[in-house]
Amino acid sequence: MLLRVRVTLPDRPGTLGQVARTLGVAGADIVQVVVLERLGGRAVDDFTVVWPGATRMERLMAGLAAIPGVRLDGVWRAIGAPTTTGQDAELLAQIAANPTEGVATLVDAVPGLLAADWAVAAVVPVDWAAHRGGGGEATVGHASWRAPVPPRLPEVTPLRARAMTGPDLRHYAVAPFGRAGLVLVVARDRAEPLAAAAFHSTEVDRLSQLVRASAVILGDRLDLVGAPPVTTIT
């Protein structure tokens, strides 16, 4: 299976090689490395690896924990192929080519781009925050494959792009479209023995950019998301 492994490590020569060797010894076949952050002598790296299903995950975790200065931030199953250049532009081109299905196209594609489990486009009413816990609910405009029914959405108001973690340790990234109360919610579930990492700020930025660009392309069509179907009486 395809796994995403996130580590924080000292940003010095040799440490990345130690992590790569440890992954290899544990049985992982590295297919991609992405540097998410380099700051203050530390780096945050995402490794996408092919992991043999019969091999125990504890061996990998113990090996990484034994490297001085290295912290394992998360290991989780990756949905979709490793990130490649041009994926975001290709997605926006698909949305522009078929704007009628634009929101659905975006929602279905985002989990694969961000190594997440599912995504939902939800319409948040103006008074949603006031009714949380009292029966108020967002309207789901479109949900991706594997989204729970009904999806358990976090408190997303005020509407701004950010990452958050729910009481059940599920990680979310949210980004508003900027009109009609529409917001895109992306989630990483917790599935023992794996524990996904929270969404990094670079991932939230990427999600926000995709949502903003999609909003420009789709324009007034966003107002129709979550609206009840029109019934024609003859």
Side-chain angles (χ1 to χ4, degrees):
M1 60 180 172
L2 201 65
L3 291 181
R4 187 67 59 90
V5 181
R6 181 169 299 173
V7 296
T8 298
L9 65 160
D11 190 13
R12 60 172 180 257
T15 305
L16 182 60
Q18 284 182 281
V19 173
R21 284 193 298 273
T22 299
L23 289 170
V25 170
D29 180 15
I30 300 173
V31 295
Q32 187 180 62
V33 183
V34 176
V35 180
L36 297 176
E37 177 183 307
R38 298 181 69 180
L39 184 66
R42 303 282 289 175
V44 180
D45 293 352
D46 266 4
F47 293 81
T48 303
V49 304
V50 176
W51 182 256
T55 305
R56 294 178 62 85
M57 194 68 63
E58 290 81 358
R59 182 182 181 187
L60 169 63
M61 297 178 178
L64 292 173
I67 305 174
V70 172
R71 184 185 73 223
L72 179 62
D73 294 332
V75 180
W76 68 102
R77 189 162 186 168
I79 305 300
T83 301
T84 59
T85 57
Q87 283 181 314
D88 293 6
E90 176 61 26
L91 172 58
L92 294 173
Q94 293 176 16
I95 292 171
N98 186 12
T100 301
E101 300 295 330
V103 172
T105 300
L106 177 65
V107 171
D108 290 338
V110 160
L113 296 180
L114 296 181
D117 290 291
W118 53 270
V120 166
V123 180
V124 181
V126 175
D127 59 348
W128 190 51
H131 290 288
R132 292 293 286 173
E137 293 293 340
T139 301
V140 175
H142 184 79
S144 72
W145 178 64
R146 300 184 68 195
V149 180
R152 182 179 298 176
L153 302 181
E155 173 58 81
V156 298
T157 52
L159 293 180
R160 59 182 176 82
R162 65 190 188 277
M164 63 187 73
T165 300
D168 57 357
L169 301 182
R170 176 180 285 159
H171 299 299
Y172 299 95
V174 300
F177 285 81
R179 64 183 296 160
L182 189 63
V183 59
L184 185 58
V185 181
V186 188
R188 287 179 183 148
D189 293 329
R190 185 177 182 89
E192 298 291 350
L194 304 181
F199 287 91
H200 191 267
S201 59
T202 58
E203 294 176 308
V204 176
D205 289 344
R206 184 184 184 190
L207 177 65
S208 182
Q209 290 168 10
L210 282 170
V211 167
R212 288 199 305 268
S214 298
V216 172
I217 295 171
L218 298 176
D220 293 342
R221 292 178 184 272
L222 296 177
D223 298 333
L224 303 177
V225 178
V230 176
T231 302
T232 303
I233 300 177
T234 58

